[in-house]
């Protein structure tokens, strides 16, 4: 059966090749193709619909339907069966098409006499470019092989549709009516920093010209050679010294696993045996996977899809005889890459000495590219709508990673302002670096502990650079998100040991797994929730899956042998949760003891305070913990009932409001009275004015992202804290609603460096 279908498709493919190579206009070739397929599939009708601007599918060629309907019949995506196929990007075979709920009768086509129908989407680069459909008068069952044949033809047609001969290429892109005027686009900051340079569109797609091969054995040999040279190039790329160690290594290893996946290689080989060239086979397997996975919302699988696309492009370039690199041709001295999305290894192909940033249409903070870019300190802005259509090659671009904005063809003054900002930033950076070894002490002698928030091994290098006192918050979830499975005890032990090793003797507060909400683990699919921020997340998950928490605690104990272990539980809303988490920790300590294993010299347990309700149980909480860390991000979200991820209301409530500050003051006083260490580890702690307020309220331990250490230390060293405390006390209880403005004015009046 397999062999028979392979011959059918090989015969069809070689006829197709003759048609495509046979000259004539694109329309002529399309007409011939539909005729050929109708004949080959013994169908009365074969039609090709092409996507036009505005998401409309236009009948472009038909064998069997009324010719007068060509270029007249138009269906919106989702309308009729053809629109349905385009909308779902999946093939659909119906033995009784008219009974399908999406059926829409178009009298001008004369299709009412045809009963059965099969259609496949014409896809290029994950976008539906049209639909190819076949109809029969009788009720007919279309086989899997027939659907596959149609998909292969659709792939050939995708080349024709995107060639610009049928529909001008411009029409296939979203249009920007603004011509060459300066433009500002907004996106999401994925990694921070400012980059300036000329735009270089990342064009990883290699156009596959030759589709049908005469000699499958030769193609298989070419394919094997390309795979071998690709593997050795990947070895080379991954061994770059700056990529040594860190979670990005996991990302690259996961990538390598796909590259070496026997199933993937076998599927391509099989497609070659049906008569496709190696290139066409690679392309086909990729499109098949994309279509199959296009509706998957699981972030891990979506990541795999990016990896697969990256790999496909790479393999196609190897087949074309190059070195497989995405970075073809001369590159400007300073350049910004613009892309729809990008795999992690494609980024490595570009010269890092010239690459100033990446602008992406897609992207998320946890995607593989982001993790690698962060390790390499390259600014990235994601989710910039229509970036590729709006940014032309060699357009001057400024990428402002701090504010998630991109300036295209900026005016001279904007360019100058940013060039200044970069210079000032560099100067400031140098000034902050000079502060590395001086203590964070106020002018009136109050010492403040400055700690770092970290989540990747690369973040630990900032300990040295900033001179921070330790890690106040190590978010353990990022490595869990970069892997295909839950890391086992051994892998976690290794990771935590390396964190501690990098930290030297400095303290590290490990936070137990804090996932859920927007941080989804691939292997823990939870059901959809109406309010994920208030849902099954964080400690609620790990208490429901105690084995996971126990494994993590075991790994932390093992990594901390003979030194102090500081462990903190997130999202505690009720003392009983703390007790249950503590009980699991005690079980693990006992377990290690029974095994005769060495233990940490001390185990100190803390809780995050990010659910306001916990503040009303402080008496009980403080008897149970060694330290408390205020997670002001979630605390603000819950105190004001304001979704922290919703940009529309992000600026609506100010943490520097009397309500929030009174809350924090109360918590700080209770902790001090109980002799329990307290710190703040939300974003608030890293902003100089907010940090000033926290110091005024009596906080002496602040944990923040590395770039915030310099500015906060500078502020601390410029301040006389006594007057700030008195002023803030009066201000909070004065009945004012806006505290930010008066506090800022006070700082200005008193030469406090903000
Ligand atoms: C917080 O909520 O303030 C916090 C530090 O935790 P995360 O931002 O990881 O939720
Ligand atoms: Mg939190």
């Amino acid at each position: 059966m397999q062999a028979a279908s392979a011959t059918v498709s090989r015969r069809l493919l070689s006829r197709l090749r003759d048609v495509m190579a046979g000259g004539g206009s694109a329309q002529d070739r399309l007409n011939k193709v539909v005729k050929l397929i109708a004949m080959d599939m013994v169908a009365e009708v074969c039609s090709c619909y092409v996507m036009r601007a505005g998401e409309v599918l236009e009948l472009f060629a038909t064998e069997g339907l009324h010719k007068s309907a060509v270029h007249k019949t138009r269906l919106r995506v989702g309308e009729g069966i053809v629109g349905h196929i385009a909308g779902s990007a999946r093939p659909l075979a119906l033995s009784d098409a008219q009974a399908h709920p999406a059926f829409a009768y178009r009298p001008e086509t004369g299709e009412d006499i045809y009963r059965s129908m099969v259609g496949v989407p014409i896809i290029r680069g994950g976008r539906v470019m049209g639909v190819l459909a076949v109809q029969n008068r009788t009720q007919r069952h279309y086989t899997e092989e027939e659907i596959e044949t149609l998909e292969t033809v659709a792939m050939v047609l995708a080349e024709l549709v995107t060639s610009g001969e049928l529909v001008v290429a411009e029409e296939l892109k979203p249009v920007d009516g603004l011509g060459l005027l300066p433009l500002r686009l907004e996106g999401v900051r994925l990694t921070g920093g400012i980059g300036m340079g000329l735009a270089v569109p990342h064009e990883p797609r290699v156009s596959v010209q030759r589709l049908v091969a005469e000699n499958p054995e030769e193609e298989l040999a070419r394919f094997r050679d390309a795979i071998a040279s690709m593997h050795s190039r990947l070895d080379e790329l991954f061994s770059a010294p700056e990529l040594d160690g860190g979670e990005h290594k996991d990302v690259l290893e996961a990538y390598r696993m796909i590259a070496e996946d026997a199933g993937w290689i076998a599927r391509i080989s099989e497609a070659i045996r049906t008569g496709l060239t190696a290139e066409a086979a690679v392309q086909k397997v990729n499109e098949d996977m994309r279509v199959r996975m296009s509706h998957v919302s699981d972030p891990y699988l979506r990541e795999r899809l990016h990896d697969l696309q990256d790999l496909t492009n790479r393999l196609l370039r190897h087949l074309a005889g190059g070195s497989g690199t995405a970075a073809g041709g001369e590159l400007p001295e300073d350049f910004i890459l613009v892309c729809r999305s990008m795999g992690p290894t494609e980024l490595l192909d570009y010269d890092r000495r010239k690459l100033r940033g990446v602008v992406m249409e897609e992207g998320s903070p946890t995607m593989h590219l982001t993790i690698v870019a962060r390790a390499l300190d390259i600014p990235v802005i994601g989710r910039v709508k229509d970036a590729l259509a709006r940014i032309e090659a060699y357009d001057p671009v400024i990428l402002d990673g701090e504010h998630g904005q991109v300036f295209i063809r900026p005016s001279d003054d904007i360019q100058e302002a940013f060039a200044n900002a970069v210079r000032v930033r560099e100067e400031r950076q140098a000034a902050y670096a000079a502060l590395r070894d001086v203590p964070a002490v106020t002018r009136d002698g109050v010492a403040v502990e400055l700690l770092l928030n970290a989540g990747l091994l690369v973040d630990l290098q900032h300990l040295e650079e900033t001179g921070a006192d330790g890690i106040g918050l190590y978010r353990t979830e990022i490595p869990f998100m970069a892997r295909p499975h839950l890391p086992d005890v051994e892998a976690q032990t290794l990771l935590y040991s390396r964190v501690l090793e990098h930290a030297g003797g400095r303290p590290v507060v490990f936070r137990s797994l804090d996932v859920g909400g927007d941080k989804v683990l691939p292997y823990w699919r939870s059901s959809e929730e109406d309010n994920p921020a208030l849902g099954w997340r964080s400690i609620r998950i790990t208490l429901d899956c105690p084995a996971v928490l126990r494994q993590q605690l075991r790994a932390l104990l093992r990594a901390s042998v003979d030194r102090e272990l500081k462990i903190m539980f997130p999202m505690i809303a009720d003392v009983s949760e703390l007790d249950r988490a503590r009980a699991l920790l005690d079980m693990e300590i006992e377990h290690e003891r029974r095994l005769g294993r060495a233990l940490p010299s001390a185990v100190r347990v803390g809780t995050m305070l990010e659910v306001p309700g916990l503040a009303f149980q402080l008496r009980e909480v403080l008897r149970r913990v060694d330290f408390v860390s205020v997670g002001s991000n979630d605390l603000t979200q819950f105190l004001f009932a304001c979704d922290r991820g919703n940009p529309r209301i992000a600026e609506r409530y100010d943490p520097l409001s009397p309500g929030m500050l009174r809350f924090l003051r109360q918590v700080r006083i209770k902790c001090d009275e109980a002799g329990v260490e307290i710190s703040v580890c939300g974003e608030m702690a890293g902003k100089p004015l907010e940090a000033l307020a926290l110091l005024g309220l009596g906080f002496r331990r602040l944990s923040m992202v590395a770039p915030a250490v310099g500015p906060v230390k500078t502020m601390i060293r410029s301040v006389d804290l006594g007057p700030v405390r008195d002023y803030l006390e009066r201000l909070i209880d004065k009945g004012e609603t806006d505290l930010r403005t008066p506090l800022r004015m006070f700082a200005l009046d008193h030469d406090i460096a903000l």
Side-chain angles (χ1 to χ4, degrees):
M1 194 57 211
Q2 186 66 33
S5 89
T7 13
V8 172
S9 108
R10 185 148 4 136
R11 193 187 58 211
L12 177 63
L13 281 174
S14 67
R15 286 196 193 147
L16 257 182
R17 183 191 49 185
D18 295 345
V19 171
M20 299 301 274
S25 71
Q27 180 71 52
D28 286 345
R29 276 176 277 156
L30 190 60
N31 293 343
K32 285 184 190 154
V33 170
V34 289
K35 196 167 185 160
L36 184 66
I37 298 162
M39 215 162 62
D40 190 88
M41 289 188 62
V42 201
E44 282 96 11
V45 176
C46 176
S47 314
C48 179
Y49 293 80
V50 173
M51 188 76 83
R52 306 289 317 247
E55 303 272 274
V56 172
L57 293 147
E58 179 176 316
L59 179 65
F60 253 68
T62 183
E63 175 67 16
L65 297 184
H66 295 334
K67 293 274 194 282
S68 54
V70 170
H71 297 304
K72 296 222 167 54
T73 294
R74 289 176 156 218
L75 293 156
R76 275 173 287 115
V77 169
E79 187 191 5
I81 292 174
V82 165
H84 185 74
I85 293 167
S88 66
R90 285 165 189 267
L92 183 65
L94 299 165
S95 53
D96 188 357
Q98 296 181 15
H100 191 275
F103 180 77
Y105 174 52
R106 286 305 172 92
E108 75 274 12
T109 60
E111 65 181 332
D112 50 329
I113 50 173
Y114 302 107
R115 190 91 189 265
S116 41
M117 176 170 186
V118 54
V120 297
I122 298 172
I123 294 180
R124 158 61 74 214
R127 285 190 184 158
V128 175
M129 316 299 295
V131 170
L132 180 65
V134 159
Q135 289 169 278
N136 276 80
R137 219 181 256 266
T138 53
Q139 207 160 357
R140 174 172 164 185
H141 172 74
Y142 299 98
T143 64
E144 280 295 313
E145 282 78 13
E146 283 173 320
I147 297 173
E148 255 194 42
T149 304
L150 268 188
E151 285 184 311
T152 308
V153 177
M155 196 173 83
V156 179
L157 290 181
E159 292 293 328
L160 195 64
V161 174
T162 45
S163 67
E165 291 172 78
L166 283 174
V167 176
V168 277
E170 274 313 302
E171 205 182 309
L172 304 172
K173 291 194 199 169
V175 254
D176 161 28
L178 292 176
L180 293 174
L181 294 173
L183 197 62
R184 181 180 155 276
L185 299 178
E186 287 195 6
V188 174
R189 161 204 163 128
L190 297 182
T191 64
I194 295 175
M196 298 173 77
L198 299 182
V200 170
H202 168 63
E203 282 169 344
R205 197 168 79 74
V206 179
S207 166
V208 177
Q209 306 291 351
R210 219 165 50 88
L211 292 151
V212 194
E214 293 305 331
N215 185 343
E217 285 313 315
E218 249 171 45
E219 291 303 304
L220 280 170
R222 286 182 59 232
F223 171 59
R224 278 191 290 264
D225 286 351
I227 283 276
S229 69
M230 180 177 84
H231 284 165
S232 64
R233 170 73 181 148
L234 288 178
D235 288 342
E236 226 172 86
L237 280 181
F238 293 177
S239 61
E242 67 267 44
L243 286 173
D244 200 24
E247 293 74 7
H248 49 284
K249 252 319 197 225
D250 288 337
V251 164
L252 299 178
E253 283 313 318
Y255 181 93
R256 193 198 297 268
M257 265 163 57
I258 310 184
E260 290 171 3
D261 181 66
W264 179 64
I265 293 176
R267 273 195 297 281
I268 298 174
S269 307
E270 210 168 283
I272 294 176
R273 286 194 194 94
T274 67
L276 290 177
T277 57
E279 287 86 346
V282 171
Q283 186 87 289
K284 179 174 188 307
V285 168
N286 182 49
E287 295 293 359
D288 286 353
M289 295 284 282
R290 286 182 74 104
V291 171
R292 215 169 299 151
M293 289 167 68
S294 59
H295 296 277
V296 170
S297 59
D298 180 300
Y300 175 75
L301 290 179
R302 276 210 313 265
E303 257 339 291
R304 296 273 80 80
L305 211 54
H306 287 304
D307 286 359
L308 188 73
Q309 184 65 56
D310 179 335
L311 203 57
T312 298
N313 298 334
R314 181 169 296 280
L315 188 51
L316 287 176
R317 290 187 295 264
H318 277 280
L319 279 165
S323 62
T325 165
E330 265 302 292
L331 289 167
E333 219 22 64
D334 299 293
F335 72 97
I336 305 273
L337 276 178
V338 186
C339 60
R340 178 146 168 245
S341 182
M342 194 189 250
T345 75
E346 285 177 318
L347 185 72
L348 302 182
D349 279 332
Y350 289 93
D351 185 343
R352 254 109 66 207
R353 288 164 307 181
K354 299 178 176 177
L355 177 58
R356 300 285 168 256
V358 180
V359 177
M360 244 190 305
E361 291 186 351
E362 299 177 354
S364 73
T366 51
M367 81 186 289
H368 290 172
L369 171 99
T370 313
I371 293 176
V372 174
R374 194 159 153 196
L376 298 172
D377 208 12
I378 297 170
V380 182
I381 299 189
R383 303 204 207 137
V384 181
K385 206 160 169 274
D386 300 334
L388 275 171
R390 290 166 160 236
I391 307 176
E392 302 283 331
Y394 296 103
D395 271 347
V397 171
I398 296 174
L399 184 157
D400 175 7
E402 301 309 316
H403 303 98
Q405 52 181 351
V406 187
F407 295 87
I408 300 129
R409 303 178 286 273
S411 60
D412 289 348
D413 18 329
I414 290 201
Q415 292 208 40
E416 212 170 294
F418 268 91
N420 269 337
V422 171
R423 208 173 25 252
V424 169
R425 202 163 169 261
E426 280 166 2
E427 281 165 16
R428 264 211 224 124
Q429 232 68 51
Y432 295 147
L435 283 184
R436 200 187 76 141
D437 298 319
V438 301
V441 177
T442 63
R443 285 175 44 197
D444 46 353
V446 177
V448 182
E449 213 174 291
L450 295 185
L451 304 152
L452 288 189
N453 291 350
L456 291 170
L457 277 177
V458 281
D459 296 335
L460 285 144
Q461 79 200 30
H462 301 309
L463 271 176
E464 275 302 314
E465 286 163 23
T466 58
D469 298 304
I471 304 288
L473 166 65
Y474 187 84
R475 293 182 165 101
T476 55
E477 51 274 5
I478 299 177
F480 280 70
M481 296 167 87
R483 287 164 193 250
H485 325 281
L486 205 63
D488 59 17
V489 176
E490 206 175 311
Q492 288 190 59
T493 308
L494 187 69
L495 178 70
Y496 305 143
S497 307
R498 294 187 67 184
V499 172
L500 290 169
E501 203 179 292
H502 277 79
R506 283 171 281 222
V508 177
V509 176
F510 287 98
R511 179 173 74 184
S512 76
L513 195 57
D514 185 18
V515 292
D518 57 339
K519 292 181 264 184
V520 190
L521 287 190
Y523 32 87
W524 271 350
R525 238 153 286 161
S526 63
S527 52
E528 289 276 308
E529 293 182 303
D530 284 344
N531 288 307
L534 303 179
W536 195 57
R537 56 174 288 205
S538 193
I539 195 78
R540 299 170 186 175
I541 296 186
T542 46
L543 287 178
D544 288 353
C545 306
V548 174
L549 184 53
R550 287 187 64 175
Q551 287 189 5
Q552 184 171 39
L553 294 172
R554 193 176 307 170
L556 285 167
L557 288 168
R558 290 185 182 171
S560 314
V561 166
D562 291 336
R563 60 177 290 166
E564 184 182 73
L565 166 63
K566 287 182 104 173
I567 164 111
M568 165 162 89
F569 298 109
M571 271 289 285
I572 297 284
D574 189 275
V575 188
S576 65
E577 291 167 329
L578 203 51
D579 286 340
R580 287 166 63 199
R582 173 87 222 202
L584 293 175
L585 176 62
D586 290 339
M587 272 157 89
E588 282 309 315
I589 294 176
E590 191 44 41
H591 177 259
E592 294 298 280
R593 206 171 266 140
R594 264 203 321 271
L595 290 180
R597 285 177 173 269
L599 283 164
S601 55
V603 178
R604 310 228 296 133
V605 175
T607 179
M608 287 197 74
L609 198 158
E610 39 189 358
V611 179
L614 196 69
F616 300 99
Q617 306 163 63
L618 275 183
R619 204 175 39 168
E620 294 76 16
V621 170
L622 296 175
R623 277 194 215 123
R624 289 162 164 84
V625 295
D626 300 301
F627 61 96
V628 172
S629 191
V630 178
S632 57
N633 307 337
D634 274 314
L635 182 63
T636 317
Q637 150 160 290
F638 298 132
L639 208 61
F640 295 111
C642 174
D643 181 351
R644 69 191 256 190
N646 183 342
R648 199 159 162 189
I649 47 175
E651 307 282 317
R652 199 170 181 118
Y653 303 99
D654 190 354
L656 289 189
S657 64
M660 177 86 171
L661 295 190
R662 281 182 201 143
F663 183 98
L664 291 171
R665 178 175 60 184
Q666 196 57 19
V667 171
R668 198 275 303 158
I669 292 173
K670 291 251 170 67
C671 287
D672 279 357
E673 283 169 1
V676 170
E677 249 180 39
I678 180 154
S679 63
V680 178
C681 67
E683 300 293 312
M684 192 182 176
K687 298 179 178 161
L689 188 64
E690 278 82 342
L692 176 66
L694 290 171
L695 296 185
L697 294 178
F699 287 88
R700 297 291 176 263
R701 234 170 252 104
L702 304 176
S703 191
M704 62 200 70
V705 290
V709 173
V712 170
K713 197 189 264 188
T714 308
M715 179 277 289
I716 290 172
R717 291 177 60 81
S718 69
V719 73
D720 223 341
L721 203 53
V724 176
R725 194 176 39 224
D726 297 344
Y727 179 71
L728 197 64
E729 276 300 325
R730 271 183 280 125
L731 193 62
I732 290 180
D733 295 323
K734 204 167 146 193
E736 300 254 358
T737 48
D738 170 27
L739 304 192
R740 181 173 292 274
T741 316
L743 191 58
R744 182 178 292 284
M745 298 313 290
F746 179 92
L748 282 176
D749 284 349
H750 292 79
D751 287 330
I752 301 172
L754 292 181

